[in-house]
Amino acid sequence: MTRRTAVDGHVHIHPHADLAALLEAAVGNLSRLAGEGAGPCLLLTETARADVFAEMRAGRRVPPGWTIETPAADPAAIVACRGSHRLLLVAGRQIVTSEKLEVLALATCDRFADGASLDETLEALHAAGIPAVLPWGLGKWIGKRGGIVADRIARAKPGVILGDNKGRPIGWPAPRIFNADRGGIVLPGSDPLPIPGSETVVGSYGFLLEGGLDGDRPAADLSARLHGLTAQPPVFGTRLGPVAALRAQLALRRAKRAGVVA
């Protein structure tokens, strides 16, 4: 019986990612870090240029040895199965606002255009009943943009949550708004970069929810639970050390210069 749900709250499947390696890493990391009885779950945060979730759900992109189950009552969820392993993947999008801030729209197949303001984006998600996460990003929460994030969190409507990711180096000071008046709720995720080998980090940083998710409507159940959070859920895994984080950023810059990343 599933006693907990282990959730990686920020997962990209990049165009050139080894999907088999990603699924294997997710199962291994989540089971190792969250312990027995924890149902593994990935919250996808796909950009406007990707829709791997739809490809997997339609059976067009399924690694050898894996099968896909599609809950009929929940179009925003699929279950990847291999042997005794069952890995829940929940659809979601990453939106880039006009301020160049990121917003994660979780547990939804809806698509939202990049380029709207942060206020417009959050209002659209609120109107649709979609949980919204403002994830930390290197250099994105300082100066004017940092003030915008702090202001919006201070007056945010229910369902707007802060996010952390594995790339915030160990020892890097936690943003002050992580301890804000909204209870300091922060949802962690691995946030793999579009660089070779990044698949291995999936499932290595996340949070725990009590109990299993509804088998017929897991994405809807997850959405409701995120809207109802009143305290910080337990966190599992670790962030990158300073040297590893620097190497990852240098690899990302090389990928951008090579035209691999837009």
Side-chain angles (χ1 to χ4, degrees):
M1 179 178 178
T2 300
R3 298 188 299 271
R4 297 175 298 178
T5 301
V7 185
D8 183 335
H10 190 159
V11 178
H12 298 289
I13 304 178
H14 297 291
H16 302 294
D18 183 333
L19 186 54
L22 185 149
L23 297 178
E24 293 284 353
V27 168
N29 287 330
L30 290 169
S31 61
R32 175 174 56 87
L33 295 169
E36 294 184 9
C41 174
L42 304 181
L43 297 187
L44 300 187
T45 54
E46 300 197 81
T47 69
R49 299 180 298 278
D51 202 347
V52 177
F53 177 87
E55 294 176 6
M56 294 180 70
R57 187 174 179 87
R60 295 193 300 270
R61 189 171 177 184
V62 181
W66 291 82
T67 59
I68 300 296
E69 294 182 0
T70 55
D74 197 338
I78 58 176
V79 181
C81 307
R82 183 180 61 78
S84 62
H85 297 302
R86 293 174 59 82
L87 175 64
L88 174 66
L89 290 85
V90 176
R93 312 301 305 185
Q94 177 177 284
I95 307 163
V96 180
T97 72
S98 60
E99 300 92 345
K100 304 303 180 185
L101 290 164
E102 293 177 1
V103 179
L104 309 181
L106 302 182
T108 180
C109 291
D110 293 352
R111 303 190 71 155
F112 299 85
D114 292 337
S117 71
L118 180 60
D119 284 340
E120 291 170 329
T121 301
L122 294 179
E123 186 56 41
L125 297 180
H126 177 75
I130 297 170
V133 170
L134 302 181
W136 178 89
L138 184 63
K140 295 178 182 177
W141 280 15
I142 59 177
K144 181 179 179 180
R145 288 189 295 180
I148 291 172
V149 172
D151 175 72
R152 299 313 185 269
I153 283 294
R155 56 187 178 88
K157 297 177 180 178
V160 179
I161 312 167
L162 292 168
D164 196 10
N165 71 62
K166 192 175 181 72
R168 183 171 67 87
I170 294 173
W172 191 285
R176 282 181 291 179
I177 55 174
F178 276 8
N179 298 308
D181 293 338
R182 293 186 61 81
I185 297 175
V186 181
L187 301 184
S190 60
D191 189 19
L193 297 174
I195 58 178
S198 65
E199 301 91 346
T200 61
V201 307
V202 174
S204 64
Y205 193 42
F207 60 97
L208 296 171
L209 296 175
E210 287 300 316
L213 297 172
D214 186 316
D216 294 325
R217 303 181 72 242
D221 186 7
L222 181 65
S223 177
R225 294 198 193 192
L226 295 183
H227 272 101
L229 282 177
T230 58
Q232 174 65 42
V235 172
F236 63 84
T238 59
R239 305 192 311 277
L240 293 177
V243 174
L246 176 60
R247 287 174 177 166
Q249 288 299 318
L250 292 175
L252 178 61
R253 292 186 181 184
R254 287 195 296 269
K256 288 181 177 179
R257 287 198 298 267
V260 176
V261 182

